[in-house]
Amino acid sequence: MSIQTPQKPLPGAYIQTPAISRFQSLQSRQSISVPPQQSQALNQQSQSVQNGGQRSESQDIPPIERAAKAVNEALSEESRYPDLDSYIGQGISSEYEVTTQPAWAPFQKTKMHPIPDRIFAQYNRAQVSTIMGLFADFNHAWVAIDNALYLWDYTHPSPDLVSFEEQPHTITAVRLVKPRVGVFVPAVIRLLVVATTADIIIIGLSAQPAQHGGQSVALYTLKMSAPVKGLDVNIIEGSDSTGRIFFSGRLSDDVYEFTYQQEEKWFQNRCTKVNHTRKGYSTFTPATLFGQRAQQETVVQMIMDDTRRLLYTLSSRSTIRTFHMKGNGILELVITKPLGQTLSNVGHMTSQSDLISPSMAIVSISAITAQEATKIHLMASTSTGCRIFMSATSSYGNYSSSSNAPTSMQVQHVKFPPADSTTSNSTQMTNYSNTPSINTSSSSLVPTRSAIRYAPGYFLAFIVKDQQSGTDLLFVSGPDSARIARPQDQQRLTRYAELALWLNLGSRAEDVGLATEPFAASSSPVGFGNELAVQFDKPTAEVAILTNTGVHMLRRRRLVDIFAAALRLGGGDEGLEGEVKKFIRQYGPGETASTALAVACGQAFDVTSDSRLARILDLDVLEHARKAFIEYGGKPLFNENSMLDQSVPAIDLVQPSPRHRGLSRYISRLVRSIWKAPILRESITPTGGLVISSSVSMIKLKEISQDLTKLKEFLNVNKSFIEGLAGPEALGNVRTKQDEVCLQAEHRALHALVILIDNIIEGLAFVLVLYDEKIEETVLSLANEVRQQVRNLSYEGLCTTALGKQLAKDLVKAIVNRNILSGSNVETVAEALRRRCGSFCSADDVVIFKAQEYVKRASEAGADSDACRDYLNESLRLFKQVTGSLSMEQMNWIIENYVSLQFYAGSIQLCLDKAQESDRGNRALTWIQEGRPPGDKRAEAFEFRRRCYDLVHQVILAVERSRTESPDMVDGHLTLTGRRREEAADEIDSSNDEVFQTDLYDWYLQENWSDRLLEVESPFVITYLERRSSDDIAHADLLWKYYLQHERYQDAAMVQLALAKSQFVLSLDQRIQYLGNAKTNASTTRPGIARSTRTEVLREISDLLDVANIQSDLLQRLKGESRISPDRRPEVLEELNGPVLPLTVLFNTYCEPAFYFDLCILIYEAADHRVASDIKATWQNLLDGVHTQAELMDQGPQPYEMVAEAVRTLGNRLGLSEIMFPVGDLLPMLKRYAFNYQNNVGPETWVVDIFTDLQVPYESIYGVLESMFYNDEPPFQGRNRRFIGNDLVYVAKAWFHDSLRGSGMIFGGEDNAIAVSEMLHTVMQTGLDDRRLEECQDLRMRIETMLR
């Protein structure tokens, strides 16, 4: 049973998207429009909810919770029914509504059971006396004729007489009381106390259900009696809670107690009598004085209030005495209330009234228990028909309790009789909306012979209007509970509203008894008198009245009975409409809707012509009730005062209609007795066994289920007529946006209740099924935690909460598992469960149970048998059919069993299917692809899938453990276990579930199985590593390693390049290492990679590597730089020992300011800076700087050596670039440096040696020297030209020897040789030293010789 509304939205289901038909009606009727301010407010609220994301709690409540809330509110409202003290306050009243219309009568006579002829036969033989009475709670009457007592079941058409004739004395009083606990055998449930002229005797009484439906009683002689001769006992009363028995006689006002015990004790007989009012010799004082009889006061009535442990007596002088029952058999007189005090109290409330005067008498008293009222203790009825309500307080001003005896009693309220024909009409209650005057002079109940009150306020007064006829006129009234519960004027105090009726008994009443259980709607005064709440839950009160003609049965009519009768006797459509409107005026639209619905569902009863009580199933009445519910159910109300609160959606500002209140009220009244009750109750037998019983009878559960089923059928049949259940077509009738919002709210509320009805029906069906099984075994099979939850589970929880539904499913599983173990047919059991309570045992559950049975069979067959494989495959097929219905607990059980049977592949299949079934929209994958944003609801889908994948991980671990137990191959053949492991591996590798593969790879790394990850042949590995590489360097390293392992060098180079350029926390050396490896990988050729692409990548890597090397040199140099402050040094080093910085930053921030000219030149090279002047100037600055640095050194190499090394090192790094290493500029620059700063220091050819060491072509060196020789630039002018000449001879000689080693011409050609020869001739004239001159001449001769 689903608790969700249909997914397809209704037209106009949102305020901002109204239904088309409504717009059409607005266009055709421009006169009907929404008030501008209201429409604007509604639209603002709609947009606020649509755009702002602010949703009220009410909107987020699931339908079943919304309905449960409505039912709980209804129950709470009815539990707050006013207590008696609140509407019977200090003062007087005379308000009655005495009806003359049979339909509105509060009580009705159901049947008169005649006195059997056999009783009359015995009566005719009476010689001394005859008294009669009722044991109404057993449906028995009694008559005492002289010394014989006869009992009979007055409901039986031909009853048997049960007689007691074993004593010879005349019977004077009879009373049925409860025995003291533990004195008699359990079969004795009552004691029949019989008083005679000589003794008081107790007789045991047992009762058994009779075949005709009543009870049959049996009497047991207990041989327990006490002498009472001379007391003339006529009053007996018993305490139900203590079993104490009190009595009094016609000759005094003494109160005696009859005590009894199991066995005689020292100084104490089994039975005795105790006088609690007189002590010592006064007990034996004679009743006459000097031969004259005194006017002795006697007790005429005695009543018990066990809730306060009080005994009240009424004397013949209208004195009320209150006794407090204490422990140890003590009975203490605490209050004596003479009639004079009572009249004095009343005198403070009203002016002179003939009804309250010394001439009147109190004819009866009735106790009002603490369960019914806190202040009011007693009601006294007068001979004038007045009811006097009295309260009692203790000495501390508190109201009395069972442990706190009262010390004073005051009149609280006086209810005068109803008006009669001689009094003013203004005193007659015809309309409670006005304040009528109080009639204090009505003689309508004069003279009242006797009266009695039953909770919660049924009052019966027997009036003798004609003394000669000897017949009683019965006045009976009862509280108008519906009006007391919901008074029309909420600002005023609740009034004591009563409905009354006159009945002519046609005979004299002898006794009155309550034939049903005493009324109690709750255990406390608040809510106690709510008859409305229990009208479908408890039997209707019935009063038996014994007269000299028979037993008259008087039935209390419920509100539903009155409404049904009003509909039946209303007289035509106009009369019916008037009756319904009258109901609405008096009781409100909500109560009217609830009552009409109950009548329409067949809850009303009436007495038939043959005096039978039957349901009212008259089609006309049911139809009128149906129309009343539909047409008078009211409309939802929009709370316009809250429209300015933009945070609350407009739909939550709607108060559902009275029809909704009536429906929720009716549901609450049907389920009130079970709603909070636990579904089971545990007890322990004396032998330690567990007994589980239902807290509610099965009959009661079936009755509630039947009533709810009728309600469901009614709503289903009439839903097209009920506003809120009619469906989308109802939106075509709305005229305004407000009407549309109200209709939506009504639909939401009613639809939730419909769902709740379905849930309760199925919940009750489930409980009935549960008790059909061996419930003790079922409960004991549950886990301790689940069992405790089941023990605390109420019917409300079962039907309205997710936990309740889950616990029900646990119980269903326990039932099925028990049947599996016992060998029963699981499919039959599960199918039966599904039919009766589908929500707790669906069709999918049946499949699951069947599959579980196959798993158990497989386990029994043995893991290596073919039958086991067949059972497992069949179970897997069934499980896969219902994957979406499998709980994680079930999945754990399945996987555990599969693994134990080495069904690895099936385990993995099922887990992956479960994961994908739980997330059909693949929301988890999109969440992963978007970088796993925190707080995203899609993360929940991933978390559930991961729970499924964790089961796969368990399977993998089990597979790994199995490798240590059994090898894959034996004698070159694959073992059975090995094949199963291969099947598991194939399932994993062939899965196209990217979320699973992602989670699996995460798990591999968590288990330090990175090598296994690199071996996986799946495209998901690359996707996974690429996705995770962006935020984890370990995954990035695995990615390029994965590429290398699969010979994808270009891709590996790209990853390494990305790592070198990334913002990961990497040192500069690590980045250089990545670049170096990337350069190596990019240089490796592979088919399928375009050369241009490879070249481009390689160039990018090389360029970045050059920059990184420059930055590394800079870093190393700055580490020893003394010019950096200590505070600045860590920051500088951290910046440089990280990502590769741009060249501009390196140059402008570090190299140039620090005069690192060699690095500046390298930056020129890397940046392709070709400005010759800048390059030349930087070289000059480099030479000057190195020389200066060398001169500052105390020890070490010569300056020229440092300069030569700097040039040589830089030349090697620059690769003799013509731009960055301009020989034409550097050679003259170095010659000038050598002449100016290092003249005659070091070898004379050290400058030229630098270039030859760098393998600069001799031709280039010679050309530069030749230009310097002819240019005659300072300082190489005049005689100083010889320095250039020496170098020319040195270079020409080396060039000559180098060219001889080749196979070509000397100096590369004849022209060059001639030019060199001529140059040497010129040089010899510059004044070379002798050694150079000799070398020059010798070289020239050899050149000339070779030219010939």
Side-chain angles (χ1 to χ4, degrees):
M1 176 177 57
S2 174
I3 61 172
Q4 297 179 351
T5 53
Q7 293 183 356
K8 184 177 181 181
L10 301 176
Y14 299 95
I15 320 171
Q16 61 269 23
T17 57
I20 296 176
S21 59
R22 184 170 63 82
F23 274 122
Q24 291 174 346
S25 63
L26 288 175
Q27 292 170 359
S28 61
R29 295 194 299 261
Q30 294 297 329
S31 61
I32 302 175
S33 61
V34 184
Q37 296 179 350
Q38 195 177 91
S39 176
Q40 181 180 5
L42 284 172
N43 286 325
Q44 288 175 352
Q45 286 177 318
S46 304
Q47 293 299 326
S48 173
V49 176
Q50 182 183 23
N51 301 330
Q54 288 185 344
R55 296 180 57 86
S56 71
E57 293 183 2
S58 178
Q59 275 193 322
D60 295 332
I61 297 177
I64 192 65
E65 292 185 18
R66 188 183 305 280
K69 180 180 178 183
V71 170
N72 283 322
E73 288 176 352
L75 290 171
S76 176
E77 179 187 22
E78 300 211 306
S79 69
R80 296 192 297 270
Y81 182 89
D83 61 326
L84 191 66
D85 297 321
S86 66
Y87 60 86
I88 302 183
Q90 188 77 26
I92 61 175
S93 65
S94 64
E95 301 172 16
Y96 297 86
E97 184 169 354
V98 182
T99 180
T100 58
Q101 301 178 9
W104 289 82
F107 293 86
Q108 65 181 157
K109 289 178 66 175
T110 58
K111 195 171 184 178
M112 197 278 285
H113 302 285
I115 297 176
D117 293 337
R118 296 172 60 186
I119 296 296
F120 282 115
Q122 295 292 336
Y123 177 79
N124 292 330
R125 291 196 291 269
Q127 296 179 357
V128 179
S129 68
T130 302
I131 55 175
M132 303 175 66
L134 284 171
F135 302 146
D137 50 346
F138 287 95
N139 295 330
H140 274 63
W142 60 269
V143 60
I145 302 172
D146 296 337
N147 67 323
L149 176 66
Y150 301 100
L151 285 70
W152 75 94
D153 183 353
Y154 57 76
T155 63
H156 196 284
S158 180
D160 294 329
L161 295 184
V162 178
S163 62
F164 173 69
E165 302 171 325
E166 285 77 16
Q167 59 86 31
H169 305 288
T170 300
I171 297 174
T172 59
V174 177
R175 185 72 172 176
L176 193 65
V177 300
K178 287 187 177 181
R180 196 165 68 243
V181 177
V183 176
F184 306 102
V185 295
V188 176
I189 60 174
R190 293 289 190 275
L191 294 180
L192 189 59
V193 185
V194 179
T196 70
T197 55
D199 303 290
I200 185 167
I201 306 166
I202 58 173
I203 304 165
L205 182 144
S206 65
Q208 297 292 332
Q211 294 181 354
H212 69 278
Q215 295 188 73
S216 62
V217 300
L219 302 181
Y220 299 91
T221 301
L222 302 176
K223 297 181 179 180
M224 301 179 75
S225 64
V228 292
K229 190 173 183 178
L231 296 181
D232 196 7
V233 175
N234 67 331
I235 304 294
I236 303 173
E237 184 61 38
S239 169
D240 290 346
S241 62
T242 63
R244 297 174 70 177
I245 301 171
F246 303 95
F247 61 93
S248 184
R250 292 186 179 92
L251 302 179
S252 72
D253 62 349
D254 293 337
V255 175
Y256 294 87
E257 181 177 359
F258 177 83
T259 63
Y260 57 95
Q261 57 189 10
Q262 280 184 325
E263 297 176 354
E264 291 187 1
K265 297 181 180 180
W266 287 102
F267 309 108
Q268 190 174 7
N269 297 326
R270 290 185 64 195
C271 302
T272 187
K273 71 177 187 294
V274 178
N275 189 336
H276 288 289
T277 54
R278 295 190 183 185
K279 306 298 180 184
Y281 72 92
S282 62
T283 305
F284 306 98
T285 301
T288 60
L289 184 63
F290 302 109
Q292 300 292 326
R293 176 175 290 275
Q295 292 293 329
Q296 179 66 45
E297 183 180 15
T298 63
V299 175
V300 297
Q301 189 182 3
M302 188 182 294
I303 59 172
M304 181 67 65
D305 182 0
D306 277 312
T307 61
R308 297 186 176 96
R309 303 181 72 85
L310 298 179
L311 173 69
Y312 302 101
T313 65
L314 174 65
S315 76
S316 56
R317 297 176 184 174
S318 297
T319 298
I320 300 173
R321 292 181 174 85
T322 305
F323 297 85
H324 183 231
M325 291 191 300
K326 295 184 177 181
N328 298 322
I330 298 174
L331 184 71
E332 179 184 7
L333 175 63
V334 292
I335 300 174
T336 299
K337 187 77 173 178
L339 179 61
Q341 287 188 13
T342 302
L343 294 176
S344 176
N345 292 158
V346 175
H348 292 291
M349 300 181 183
T350 180
S351 59
Q352 185 67 30
S353 172
D354 293 338
L355 301 180
I356 304 293
S357 66
S359 62
M360 67 115 191
I362 297 177
V363 296
S364 67
I365 55 175
S366 299
I368 298 175
T369 64
Q371 188 179 1
E372 187 176 0
T374 303
K375 295 187 294 184
I376 300 176
H377 286 50
L378 191 71
M379 186 197 81
S381 300
T382 71
S383 59
T384 57
C386 295
R387 282 179 279 170
I388 303 175
F389 294 90
M390 298 182 177
S391 62
T393 57
S394 68
S395 58
Y396 301 101
N398 299 322
Y399 296 104
S400 65
S401 62
S402 60
S403 59
N404 186 18
T407 57
S408 66
M409 181 176 287
Q410 299 294 327
V411 174
Q412 180 79 11
H413 186 91
V414 178
K415 186 72 178 276
F416 285 91
D420 56 17
S421 58
T422 63
T423 57
S424 173
N425 292 331
S426 65
T427 64
Q428 297 183 16
M429 277 299 298
T430 58
N431 190 343
Y432 280 128
S433 62
N434 299 320
T435 304
S437 59
I438 300 175
N439 188 339
T440 61
S441 60
S442 172
S443 60
S444 60
L445 300 185
V446 177
T448 296
R449 183 175 62 86
S450 65
I452 193 168
R453 179 189 184 275
Y454 295 112
Y458 308 146
F459 174 63
L460 290 84
F462 299 92
I463 299 96
V464 183
K465 290 293 186 181
D466 187 356
Q467 296 290 342
Q468 294 181 354
S469 65
T471 61
D472 288 335
L473 189 64
L474 174 61
F475 176 80
V476 56
S477 67
D480 192 349
S481 301
R483 198 173 300 174
I484 293 174
R486 298 169 187 87
Q488 294 176 350
D489 189 354
Q490 299 289 342
Q491 303 301 321
R492 300 182 57 192
L493 293 176
T494 304
R495 304 190 22 200
Y496 189 8
E498 284 190 287
L499 295 173
L501 178 70
W502 286 96
L503 292 173
N504 191 349
L505 296 178
S507 56
R508 178 184 173 87
E510 300 292 341
D511 198 3
V512 182
L514 190 63
T516 53
E517 289 289 332
F519 180 89
S522 72
S523 58
S524 62
V526 177
F528 177 89
N530 194 349
E531 294 180 273
L532 300 176
V534 298
Q535 59 182 325
F536 313 122
D537 185 47
K538 292 187 176 182
T540 305
E542 282 190 297
V543 178
I545 303 173
L546 176 64
T547 69
N548 52 15
T549 59
V551 179
H552 299 261
M553 302 303 300
L554 195 63
R555 174 179 176 268
R556 171 65 164 169
R557 299 182 73 204
R558 304 170 301 168
L559 191 64
V560 64
D561 303 328
I562 294 174
F563 185 73
L567 293 179
R568 183 165 61 180
L569 304 176
D573 291 340
E574 293 183 0
L576 289 172
E577 183 177 356
E579 295 293 337
V580 174
K581 289 182 177 179
K582 178 181 177 181
F583 233 79
I584 294 175
R585 286 194 305 271
Q586 290 191 352
Y587 305 128
E591 191 60 51
T592 302
S594 176
T595 307
L597 180 60
V599 174
C601 293
Q603 288 285 2
F605 285 83
D606 201 359
V607 179
T608 62
S609 58
D610 57 351
S611 300
R612 289 186 303 104
L613 188 65
R615 288 185 184 271
I616 298 178
L617 300 177
D618 186 287
L619 296 181
D620 291 336
V621 174
L622 299 183
E623 175 61 20
H624 292 322
R626 184 190 73 86
K627 291 175 64 176
F629 176 73
I630 294 173
E631 297 176 5
Y632 295 93
K635 293 185 176 295
L637 178 64
F638 190 85
N639 186 0
E640 298 182 4
N641 295 327
S642 302
M643 290 176 60
L644 297 179
D645 187 0
Q646 302 298 322
S647 64
V648 180
I651 193 172
D652 288 339
L653 302 178
V654 178
Q655 177 182 344
S657 67
R659 181 186 298 106
H660 171 265
R661 293 200 301 275
L663 176 57
S664 59
R665 196 172 291 166
Y666 179 56
I667 295 172
S668 71
R669 290 169 180 173
L670 291 179
V671 302
R672 70 180 303 274
S673 61
I674 67 170
W675 194 242
K676 300 296 183 181
I679 66 170
L680 56 83
R681 182 182 293 115
E682 293 186 3
S683 59
I684 305 299
T685 64
T687 58
L690 176 67
V691 176
I692 296 179
S693 59
S694 175
S695 60
V696 182
S697 69
M698 296 295 104
I699 296 176
K700 184 65 176 178
L701 294 179
K702 291 177 181 178
E703 290 175 352
I704 296 173
S705 179
Q706 291 170 0
D707 291 338
L708 288 171
T709 301
K710 292 177 183 177
L711 175 60
K712 175 183 176 182
E713 293 172 353
F714 173 83
L715 295 175
N716 187 49
V717 171
N718 296 281
K719 63 182 179 181
S720 59
F721 305 105
I722 299 174
E723 184 176 336
L725 291 180
E729 58 272 10
L731 289 168
N733 300 323
V734 298
R735 295 185 176 185
T736 66
K737 185 180 290 291
Q738 178 174 311
D739 291 342
E740 184 180 349
V741 175
C742 289
L743 185 60
Q744 293 168 12
E746 183 78 355
H747 169 76
R748 183 177 69 173
L750 289 178
H751 178 72
L753 290 176
V754 171
I755 294 174
L756 177 62
I757 292 170
D758 286 336
N759 275 21
I760 299 175
I761 291 172
E762 291 207 354
L764 296 179
F766 167 74
V767 174
L768 293 172
V769 171
L770 186 63
Y771 282 97
D772 286 342
E773 298 289 330
K774 296 180 179 179
I775 188 170
E776 287 83 5
E777 295 181 9
T778 302
V779 172
L780 286 174
S781 65
L782 298 172
N784 289 334
E785 181 181 357
V786 176
R787 180 180 170 186
Q788 181 61 40
Q789 291 175 330
V790 170
R791 188 184 295 119
N792 298 330
L793 181 63
S794 65
Y795 283 88
E796 177 191 9
L798 174 67
C799 301
T800 64
T801 65
L803 175 61
K805 191 169 185 178
Q806 182 57 49
L807 292 176
K809 289 193 172 186
D810 291 337
L811 286 167
V812 168
K813 294 172 192 173
I815 292 173
V816 173
N817 290 334
R818 187 180 61 79
N819 281 273
I820 291 174
L821 293 175
S822 63
S824 302
N825 191 322
V826 175
E827 191 170 0
T828 303
V829 175
E831 185 62 28
L833 288 168
R834 187 191 66 78
R835 285 196 309 268
R836 297 181 65 178
C837 43
S839 294
F840 307 123
C841 183
S842 62
D844 286 356
D845 292 330
V846 174
V847 176
I848 293 171
F849 296 145
K850 190 173 181 180
Q852 288 176 332
E853 186 177 14
Y854 278 122
V855 174
K856 288 185 176 293
R857 290 182 183 178
S859 179
E860 294 170 357
D864 295 332
S865 65
D866 293 338
C868 176
R869 293 296 111 179
D870 293 338
Y871 286 138
L872 289 175
N873 288 327
E874 182 62 20
S875 70
L876 177 61
R877 183 185 68 81
L878 294 174
F879 281 135
K880 292 175 76 171
Q881 290 178 7
V882 292
T883 306
S885 300
L886 291 173
S887 66
M888 289 309 299
E889 181 183 0
Q890 290 170 327
M891 287 292 298
N892 287 324
W893 181 87
I894 296 168
I895 301 306
E896 180 181 351
N897 282 273
Y898 276 3
V899 168
S900 66
L901 298 172
Q902 296 186 352
F903 194 41
Y904 305 127
S907 302
I908 296 170
Q909 282 184 34
L910 186 60
C911 292
L912 297 184
D913 285 357
K914 176 64 178 176
Q916 291 185 329
E917 180 67 24
S918 68
D919 183 24
R920 291 186 178 183
N922 232 358
R923 295 181 301 157
L925 179 59
T926 58
W927 179 68
I928 292 173
Q929 291 173 341
E930 293 177 10
R932 309 186 184 206
D936 197 308
K937 289 187 176 180
R938 294 174 296 179
E940 297 176 1
F942 173 78
E943 288 301 324
F944 185 85
R945 294 182 73 158
R946 187 163 66 177
R947 292 175 63 189
C948 300
Y949 301 147
D950 287 342
L951 296 177
V952 178
H953 303 161
Q954 295 178 20
V955 177
I956 295 174
L957 291 174
V959 171
E960 293 302 313
R961 287 193 298 269
S962 69
R963 295 184 189 277
T964 61
E965 300 172 358
S966 175
D968 289 342
M969 305 290 290
V970 174
D971 298 333
H973 297 286
L974 192 64
T975 63
L976 179 62
T977 306
R979 184 168 69 250
R980 292 170 180 170
R981 286 194 285 262
E982 281 192 0
E983 291 172 353
D986 292 341
E987 287 294 336
I988 294 173
D989 294 340
S990 61
S991 172
N992 59 0
D993 184 352
E994 185 174 349
V995 180
F996 163 64
Q997 297 289 358
T998 300
D999 179 77
L1000 178 66
Y1001 303 151
D1002 283 338
W1003 183 69
Y1004 279 164
L1005 297 181
Q1006 180 182 340
E1007 296 293 321
N1008 295 321
W1009 289 356
S1010 57
D1011 293 341
R1012 178 172 294 191
L1013 176 62
L1014 298 178
E1015 295 172 358
V1016 175
E1017 295 284 349
S1018 172
F1020 295 124
V1021 177
I1022 296 175
T1023 304
Y1024 163 78
L1025 292 175
E1026 285 178 345
R1027 186 182 296 122
R1028 300 301 294 270
S1029 295
S1030 60
D1031 55 5
D1032 186 15
I1033 190 172
H1035 288 85
D1037 282 333
L1038 285 174
L1039 179 58
W1040 66 260
K1041 291 177 182 178
Y1042 185 86
Y1043 282 138
L1044 282 182
Q1045 187 154 332
H1046 293 78
E1047 298 183 353
R1048 296 176 58 174
Y1049 302 110
Q1050 191 73 15
D1051 293 329
M1054 293 298 296
V1055 174
Q1056 291 166 334
L1057 173 61
L1059 281 171
K1061 297 165 65 176
S1062 70
Q1063 296 301 315
F1064 288 128
V1065 180
L1066 294 171
S1067 66
L1068 185 60
D1069 290 340
Q1070 290 175 308
R1071 296 175 189 274
I1072 293 174
Q1073 183 178 1
Y1074 280 127
L1075 289 171
N1077 294 335
K1079 187 173 183 179
T1080 302
N1081 293 324
S1083 302
T1084 305
T1085 59
R1086 285 281 297 171
I1089 303 298
R1091 183 171 183 178
S1092 58
T1093 302
R1094 184 168 60 84
T1095 303
E1096 182 180 353
V1097 172
L1098 188 59
R1099 180 166 54 252
E1100 180 182 1
I1101 295 171
S1102 299
D1103 291 346
L1104 189 61
L1105 182 59
D1106 291 340
V1107 177
N1109 286 327
I1110 295 172
Q1111 185 171 327
S1112 178
D1113 292 342
L1114 177 61
L1115 175 63
Q1116 298 303 321
R1117 194 167 299 180
L1118 288 177
K1119 286 181 179 179
E1121 180 62 69
S1122 60
R1123 292 176 291 174
I1124 303 177
S1125 66
D1127 295 338
R1128 171 70 174 158
R1129 181 184 300 277
E1131 181 182 351
V1132 170
L1133 298 182
E1134 182 180 1
E1135 183 178 10
L1136 290 174
N1137 193 26
V1140 179
L1141 301 176
L1143 289 171
T1144 54
V1145 174
L1146 296 176
F1147 183 84
N1148 295 324
T1149 305
Y1150 296 104
C1151 295
E1152 186 178 42
F1155 308 129
Y1156 297 154
F1157 299 113
D1158 54 342
L1159 299 182
C1160 291
I1161 295 171
L1162 292 174
I1163 291 174
Y1164 290 157
E1165 170 69 15
D1168 198 21
H1169 184 72
R1170 296 173 176 268
V1171 180
S1173 59
D1174 292 343
I1175 298 171
K1176 183 177 180 180
T1178 303
W1179 274 105
Q1180 184 62 59
N1181 290 334
L1182 173 62
L1183 299 181
D1184 294 343
V1186 172
H1187 177 76
T1188 302
Q1189 182 181 2
E1191 287 185 337
L1192 294 175
M1193 296 174 61
D1194 296 335
Q1195 296 178 353
Q1198 294 292 329
Y1200 83 89
E1201 292 177 329
M1202 293 182 64
V1203 169
E1205 183 59 27
V1207 174
R1208 189 178 292 109
T1209 301
L1210 195 55
N1212 283 324
R1213 293 191 62 176
L1214 293 173
L1216 301 181
S1217 168
E1218 294 181 0
I1219 304 301
M1220 298 303 150
F1221 195 82
V1223 177
D1225 293 331
L1226 289 175
L1227 186 56
M1229 194 181 299
L1230 287 168
K1231 288 299 295 181
R1232 286 193 293 274
Y1233 166 78
F1235 181 83
N1236 294 328
Y1237 299 104
Q1238 297 291 301
N1239 197 9
N1240 296 323
V1241 178
E1244 61 179 5
T1245 61
W1246 68 269
V1247 173
V1248 176
D1249 289 340
I1250 292 173
F1251 294 96
T1252 57
D1253 291 343
L1254 291 173
Q1255 297 183 356
V1256 177
Y1258 292 109
E1259 184 177 2
S1260 300
I1261 301 172
Y1262 181 84
V1264 174
L1265 292 172
E1266 184 180 27
S1267 297
M1268 291 176 65
F1269 185 83
Y1270 286 119
N1271 288 339
D1272 198 23
E1273 293 178 355
F1276 302 109
Q1277 296 174 330
R1279 184 172 174 77
N1280 290 339
R1281 293 174 65 191
R1282 70 180 185 274
F1283 294 106
I1284 303 301
N1286 286 336
D1287 288 339
L1288 280 170
V1289 174
Y1290 178 75
V1291 172
K1293 183 178 179 180
W1295 189 7
F1296 175 76
H1297 289 293
D1298 183 71
S1299 60
L1300 287 178
R1301 288 193 293 270
S1303 58
M1305 291 292 294
I1306 57 174
F1307 300 110
E1310 184 178 350
D1311 294 340
N1312 289 341
I1314 295 173
V1316 170
S1317 177
E1318 292 176 353
M1319 184 63 196
L1320 291 174
H1321 176 71
T1322 303
V1323 167
M1324 287 188 298
Q1325 300 174 5
T1326 59
L1328 297 174
D1329 56 43
D1330 295 339
R1331 185 175 60 82
R1332 288 296 183 194
L1333 180 59
E1334 182 180 353
E1335 289 179 358
C1336 182
Q1337 291 174 351
D1338 180 63
L1339 178 59
R1340 187 168 183 274
M1341 289 179 60
R1342 295 182 65 180
I1343 293 171
E1344 291 296 331
T1345 302
M1346 296 190 70
L1347 287 175
R1348 299 189 185 99

